[in-house]
Amino acid sequence: MSGKSIGNYPVTYKHHILFWVIYFIFNTLRWGSYYDDYDYSLKSNIIGFPIHMALTYFNIYFLMPKFVFKKKYITYAILMLLSLYAMLNVKFYLTYYLLSTNVWPEGPEAIDTLTFNYGVQMMLGELYVISFVTAIKITIDWLREHSMLHELEKRQLATELRFLRSQVSPHFFFNTLNNIYSLSLTKSDKAPEVILKLSELMRYLLYATDKRKQKLRKEIECIQNYIDLERIRFDDSLEVDVEISGDLDGKVIAPMLLMPLIENSFKHGASQNIGQMKISLNIKVEGDFLYFELTNNIPKEKGKSTLPTRSGGIGLSNVRKRLELGYPAEDYELRLEEKNNNFNVLLKLRVSKK
């Protein structure tokens, strides 16, 4: 219990007051029915409850943080016993002088002195109250800490996903600008068309990558624009087969999730190959899932490129990390394999709206 409103489990002073009022009424009715004397029960609880509250708050806000949380258990136990003994004396004399000389009406006989049995019963009763309130405090603290930890994990996840998405865009633009650089060296007439395609891609990236999910159709249009750029760059030396089937409407995907896979096939397949280059892309939607299959031939001999050396390695690891952070394990399956001198990427991904 705390005097502040924190996290998703706020506990204010109003909650403290409400708790003690309800507990006071409950206790008054309980012992009033037991004594068959509600007036005595009311007066007894008026005396007892300030003691309950003082000991309870002393325990949860001083003794526990100071000793229990620091694993000083023996010191804590000694101070708790001393506190209970002090409570016992205060309650006995207040009851004796303000309420009744029979300080233990529920006991086996009338008591007007501080006896051992009376002391044990009062201390155990007080310990019950302290334990009850402390349990509530610990439960609320645990719920608050769990909630804050969950919120922190969500924020860390969102931050990491934003970082990964921002990692995609510069890497993609870097490689595309290299394409324009290559065409400009040869003063190709294709350069204006490439710039136009690039502007369409930039528009998509500006408005799509801030969203957690994007329409699948938009993502595929982005991929097609990128492939068109690469077709212009490689001309007749590149053969790209693209097949898209299934119902794309109403399907969503993490933006720029597939692009690094496409880019990787050109980077490590087409750009390093000599002679005829082939890339095959098959995108199929069946039910709630997207089936993505990408194949490029593995370079037999690395050619000399006029392009500046490009940094690699972040594409596939980026996709893996984004899948891990953005999708439950049962919603995707990614396989990479080399077979018959080809590099294959196979991805099964849930694209239905949940």
Side-chain angles (χ1 to χ4, degrees), residues 159-349:
T159 300
E160 190 164 359
L161 281 171
R162 282 196 298 270
F163 168 74
L164 289 169
R165 286 201 294 267
S166 68
Q167 195 178 41
V168 171
S169 301
H171 187 236
F172 168 75
F173 280 122
F174 179 70
N175 290 333
T176 305
L177 288 170
N178 277 335
N179 296 348
I180 297 174
Y181 170 75
S182 177
L183 292 172
S184 66
L185 289 179
T186 59
K187 303 189 187 312
S188 171
D189 295 334
K190 297 176 181 178
E193 185 180 353
V194 173
I195 294 172
L196 181 62
K197 289 286 184 182
L198 180 60
S199 70
E200 292 176 359
L201 288 170
M202 288 177 67
R203 186 179 297 109
Y204 175 79
L205 289 170
L206 284 172
Y207 295 106
T209 53
D210 284 340
K211 300 177 182 178
R212 194 175 70 87
K213 292 289 176 69
Q214 178 59 272
K215 292 179 180 178
L216 178 61
R217 188 177 293 278
K218 291 286 186 182
E219 183 77 5
I220 291 177
E221 287 175 3
C222 178
I223 289 171
Q224 289 173 320
N225 280 333
Y226 177 79
I227 291 174
D228 288 343
L229 281 172
E230 295 290 22
R231 279 193 175 117
I232 293 170
R233 175 190 171 200
F234 287 103
D235 203 8
D236 295 335
S237 64
L238 173 65
E239 178 184 348
V240 182
D241 295 328
V242 179
E243 184 177 345
I244 300 170
S245 60
D247 183 12
L248 306 182
D249 293 330
K251 304 299 189 296
V252 293
I253 190 171
M256 296 297 289
L257 178 66
L258 302 177
M259 184 61 73
L261 300 174
I262 304 292
E263 187 183 6
N264 190 73
S265 67
F266 283 96
K267 177 182 173 184
H268 296 292
S271 65
Q272 298 187 28
N273 233 319
I274 293 178
Q276 188 64 30
M277 300 160 285
K278 184 173 182 179
I279 293 174
S280 175
L281 172 63
N282 188 308
I283 295 176
K284 179 171 60 176
V285 176
E286 288 185 356
D288 293 338
F289 285 89
L290 166 76
Y291 295 87
F292 176 95
E293 183 175 357
L294 180 64
T295 302
N296 65 265
N297 50 343
I298 298 173
K300 296 179 181 178
E301 183 182 353
K302 293 185 178 180
K304 294 181 180 178
S305 174
T306 58
L307 300 179
T309 302
R310 293 185 287 182
S311 301
I314 73 168
L316 294 176
S317 62
N318 184 298
V319 172
R320 286 186 186 277
K321 191 67 174 176
R322 289 188 66 194
L323 285 170
E324 291 173 5
L325 293 174
Y327 289 88
E330 65 272 13
D331 281 3
Y332 72 90
E333 180 183 354
L334 176 64
R335 289 191 290 124
L336 310 175
E337 57 186 30
E338 291 186 17
K339 188 176 180 182
N340 298 326
N341 206 40
N342 288 320
F343 183 74
N344 302 315
V345 178
L346 301 138
L347 172 65
K348 177 184 176 183
L349 179 69

Side-chain angles (χ1 to χ4, degrees), residues 26 43 53:
F26 169 80
K43 293 176 181 177
M53 295 169 66

